[in-house]
């Protein structure tokens, strides 16, 4: 029996992790167009469940946590999960660490550049008007440092660095602050991370005095990437049965959630600062969702239902960047305006949101059928 399980796991590591593509697509579909569908249904119906969901699809003003706060860090988590299956396999096949280091650094830099383009477009602007912090830039930098640690550190040291970054970040923000504020001030004006960004980050900050994708808060984000890498290592191990992998992810996920909300009493869960409690909270939820998708798709083999998400997940960066090059709203209106007029108020707004998502998905489906994927 043990030999059978091991053989199954070896075969699995040689193939693409189907659950990872599906989970990436599930993550991306919310900002691709599912969010406005939920919000418009809530506005039309006033059903309590949809009104609650609509609240969850907005970020809290500062402290606290809503579901929408999960989307960005889970994408970084999944970038980490893929590392043992890509970088790790290349190492096993004899590619040198120095060559892989350059590959990792190049990917990080490309994502930073993509993020700048996403924020500012392709128009040349004065440096003071350029926003350098970005979602893709944060993913690129955190992924890069986490992958470098993976290349040069054993698993136990990766665990050490995971805890080191979030504990060190907590201590720095607890005992330091912006000039003129008391030590440990965590307001937007007074916290040390925002102060460092105001001093070092060129161009403009997203909120004037603070940027949620700034330089200093990238430190704990590296731990989010490392957690993904450790999860990928677990999923790739041939000595663990698939059910033990699921169990390990669930147990660690639950423990992280408990620790996150205990830590929240001293260091609030806050996406804007990417606080250490936030790292554990989104890490715990990411682990539970990874366990669920892995169990259903890779363990039980029920993968047909996930095809919709897989199409999105295999071209997630492309569809994210596309909004700066394709006027999806105009395309949607051009194709379906007759339908919106036929449906009439108030449900035409819901129909518009649904068709907006549908057009984007069909675009990705055509690319999927022709095996066209944006690889960074």
């Amino acid at each position: 029996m043990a030999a059978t399980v091991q053989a199954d796991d070896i075969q699995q590591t040689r193939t693409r992790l189907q659950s990872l593509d599906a989970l990436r697509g599930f993550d991306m579909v919310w900002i691709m167009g599912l969010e406005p569908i939920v919000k418009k249904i809530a506005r039309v119906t006033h059903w309590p469940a949809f009104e609650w969901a609509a609240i969850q699809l907005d970020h809290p003003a500062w402290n606290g946590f809503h579901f929408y706060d999960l989307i960005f860090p889970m994408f970084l988590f999944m970038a980490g999960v893929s590392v043992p299956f890509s970088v790790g396999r290349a190492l096993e096949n004899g590619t040198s660490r120095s060559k892989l280091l350059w590959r990792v650094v190049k990917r990080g830099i490309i994502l930073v550049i993509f993020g700048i383009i996403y924020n500012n477009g392709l128009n040349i602007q004065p440096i003071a008007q350029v926003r350098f912090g970005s979602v893709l830039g944060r993913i690129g930098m955190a992924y890069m440092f986490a992958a470098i640690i993976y290349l040069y550190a054993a698993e136990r040291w990766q665990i050490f660095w995971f805890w080191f970054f979030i504990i060190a970040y907590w201590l720095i923000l607890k005992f330091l602050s912006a000039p003129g504020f008391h030590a440990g001030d965590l307001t937007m004006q007074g916290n040390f991370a925002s102060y460092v960004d105001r001093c070092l980050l060129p161009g403009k900050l997203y909120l004037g005095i603070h940027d949620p994708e700034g330089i200093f808060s990238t430190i704990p984000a590296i731990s989010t990437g490392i957690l993904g890498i450790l999860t990928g290592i677990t999923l790739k191990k041939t000595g663990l049965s698939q059910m033990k992998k699921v169990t390990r992810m669930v147990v660690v996920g639950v423990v992280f959630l408990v620790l996150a909300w205990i830590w929240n009493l001293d260091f609030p869960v806050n996406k804007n600062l990417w606080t250490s409690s936030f790292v554990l909270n989104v890490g715990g939820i990411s682990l539970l969702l990874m366990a669920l998708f892995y169990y259903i798709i890779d363990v039980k083999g029920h993968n047909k239902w996930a095809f919709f998400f897989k199409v999105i997940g295999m071209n997630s960066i492309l569809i994210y960047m596309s909004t700066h090059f394709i006027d999806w709203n105009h395309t949607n209106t051009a194709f379906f305006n007759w339908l919106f007029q036929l449906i009439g108020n108030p449900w035409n707004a819901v129909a518009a949101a649904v068709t907006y998502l549908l057009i984007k998905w069909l675009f990705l489906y055509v690319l999927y059928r022709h095996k066209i994927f944006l690889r960074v």
Side-chain angles (χ1 to χ4, degrees):
M1 181 62 180
T4 303
V5 170
Q6 188 174 6
D8 290 342
D9 284 344
I10 290 171
Q11 179 60 33
Q12 179 194 12
T13 63
R14 291 173 180 166
T15 60
R16 192 175 182 93
L17 196 62
Q18 300 296 316
S19 55
L20 184 60
D21 287 326
L23 183 57
R24 190 183 290 113
F26 170 78
D27 194 36
M28 189 66 200
V29 73
W30 295 95
I31 55 177
M32 180 176 149
L34 190 54
E35 171 213 342
I37 294 175
V38 172
K39 287 183 174 179
K40 286 173 181 177
I41 292 176
R43 196 173 299 128
V44 169
T45 65
H46 298 290
W47 292 338
F50 277 92
E51 290 187 327
W52 174 84
I55 293 172
Q56 291 298 312
L57 291 174
D58 280 320
H59 298 297
W62 192 245
N63 292 333
F65 179 78
H66 288 169
F67 170 78
Y68 215 47
D69 295 336
L70 174 67
I71 292 172
F72 171 16
M74 189 161 71
F75 201 92
L76 171 55
F77 168 85
M78 289 184 287
V81 173
S82 68
V83 168
F85 292 90
S86 54
V87 177
R89 183 174 293 120
L91 269 176
E92 293 164 5
N93 291 336
T95 306
S96 67
R97 278 184 169 80
S98 58
K99 186 174 182 178
L100 291 171
L101 173 64
W102 167 239
R103 185 185 300 176
V104 163
V105 170
K106 183 173 69 172
R107 188 180 190 213
I109 292 172
I110 290 172
L111 286 171
V112 170
I113 293 171
F114 277 5
I116 295 171
I117 293 171
Y118 183 87
N119 286 344
N120 308 283
L122 294 173
N123 298 324
I124 298 176
Q125 304 176 50
I127 292 294
Q129 299 301 316
V130 175
R131 181 183 172 222
F132 287 90
S134 68
V135 168
L136 290 179
R138 167 66 57 82
I139 292 172
M141 288 294 96
Y143 157 85
M144 183 184 75
F145 286 112
I148 291 172
I149 290 171
Y150 171 79
L151 277 172
Y152 293 98
E155 185 178 351
R156 64 180 180 276
W157 282 105
Q158 294 169 35
I159 295 171
F160 165 81
W161 286 113
F162 169 83
W163 291 105
F164 174 82
F165 288 130
I166 59 176
I167 291 173
Y169 186 70
W170 165 54
L171 293 174
I172 291 170
L173 264 63
K174 185 176 179 64
F175 292 107
L176 297 176
S177 66
F181 293 84
H182 66 82
D185 190 300
L186 293 178
T187 63
M188 188 183 297
Q189 299 86 350
N191 77 84
F192 185 72
S194 297
Y195 169 68
V196 171
D197 289 342
R198 290 195 292 270
C199 292
L200 299 181
L201 194 61
K204 64 180 181 180
L205 305 185
Y206 185 67
L207 297 175
I209 60 172
H210 168 78
D211 198 303
E213 285 82 51
I215 295 173
F216 202 77
S217 56
T218 298
I219 294 171
I222 297 171
S223 289
T224 301
I226 294 174
L227 179 61
I229 289 173
L230 291 167
T231 304
I233 290 172
T234 297
L235 290 170
K236 194 165 178 279
K237 283 182 177 177
T238 57
L240 283 177
S241 70
Q242 290 180 319
M243 282 310 302
K244 283 184 178 178
K245 294 173 184 178
V246 172
T247 302
R248 183 174 293 187
M249 287 188 285
V250 170
V251 170
V252 175
V254 171
V255 170
F256 273 21
L257 288 175
V258 172
L259 290 177
W261 291 100
I262 293 174
W263 209 343
N264 172 69
L265 300 174
D266 182 70
F267 197 27
V269 171
N270 183 312
K271 176 187 176 293
N272 284 279
L273 292 174
W274 212 283
T275 56
S276 307
S277 55
F278 176 77
V279 171
L280 293 184
N281 188 58
V282 296
I285 298 172
S286 297
L287 281 165
L288 293 177
L289 285 172
M290 187 74 244
L292 177 64
F293 274 65
Y294 177 75
Y295 176 74
I296 294 173
I297 296 173
D298 291 302
V299 178
K300 291 298 183 180
H302 303 309
N303 54 18
K304 290 183 179 180
W305 67 275
F307 180 73
F308 176 84
F309 297 125
K310 181 180 177 182
V311 168
I312 300 170
M314 294 187 71
N315 248 328
S316 52
I317 294 178
L318 185 147
I319 197 63
Y320 181 79
M321 292 292 297
S322 70
T323 55
H324 277 270
F325 302 98
I326 301 174
D327 188 346
W328 292 109
N329 281 312
H330 176 76
T331 304
N332 188 33
T333 303
F335 275 95
F336 293 106
N337 194 48
W338 61 272
L339 178 62
F340 307 150
Q341 292 176 1
L342 183 65
I343 294 174
N345 288 322
W347 284 96
N348 57 354
V350 176
V354 171
T355 53
Y356 176 78
L357 175 59
L358 178 63
I359 281 181
K360 283 185 169 183
W361 188 87
L362 289 173
F363 168 73
L364 291 179
Y365 177 70
V366 171
L367 297 181
Y368 175 85
R369 286 295 302 271
H370 289 85
K371 295 181 171 56
I372 300 172
F373 306 108
L374 176 62
R375 303 294 189 203
V376 177

